[in-house]
């Protein structure tokens, strides 16, 4: 049995590892964890759909896109708690953008 993955799948997997940082860039520290989880889920679904569209196979399969979305979401959650949060990158990503409630430096 030989298992091969196309470039689209590898790129989708890489993107799913980076998705929690993207969620951190577009949210603030006071954003609820539920909102962040829903945003991560939405981006994971988008990632799964785009990977399936980019796959050079014989057509679009919604079932495969759904599985890819679940894998992307699980990978995003695991990478957030196992890689990004312990290193402090999640917090730095949230602090990097100026929000309406944060004071501006002159």
């Amino acid at each position: 049995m030989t298992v091969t993955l196309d470039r689209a799948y590898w790129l989708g997997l890489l993107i799913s590892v980076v998705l929690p940082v993207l969620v951190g860039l577009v949210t603030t520290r006071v954003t609820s964890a539920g909102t962040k989880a829903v945003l991560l889920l939405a981006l994971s679904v988008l990632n799964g759909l785009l990977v399936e569209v980019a796959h050079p196979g014989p057509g679009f399969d919604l079932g495969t896109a759904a599985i890819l979305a679940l894998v992307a979401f699980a990978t995003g959650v695991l990478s957030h708690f196992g890689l990004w949060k312990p290193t402090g990158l999640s917090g730095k990503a949230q602090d990097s953008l100026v929000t309406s409630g944060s004071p501006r430096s002159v």
Side-chain angles (χ1 to χ4, degrees), residues 12-90:
L13 188 61
L14 179 67
I15 288 171
S16 64
V17 171
V18 180
L19 282 180
V21 177
L22 181 63
V23 170
L25 284 173
V26 298
T27 59
T28 63
R29 288 190 183 268
V30 295
T31 305
S32 72
T35 302
K36 292 176 187 179
V38 168
L39 183 57
L40 179 63
L41 180 62
L43 290 173
S44 298
V45 168
L46 182 63
N47 182 32
L49 291 172
L50 290 176
V51 167
E52 182 58 24
V53 166
H55 174 64
F60 182 81
D61 184 9
L62 188 60
T64 303
I67 290 171
L68 291 171
L70 288 174
V71 168
F73 182 71
T75 304
V77 170
L78 291 172
S79 65
H80 170 69
F81 287 110
L83 179 65
W84 302 125
K85 192 172 184 179
T87 61
L89 190 66
S90 292

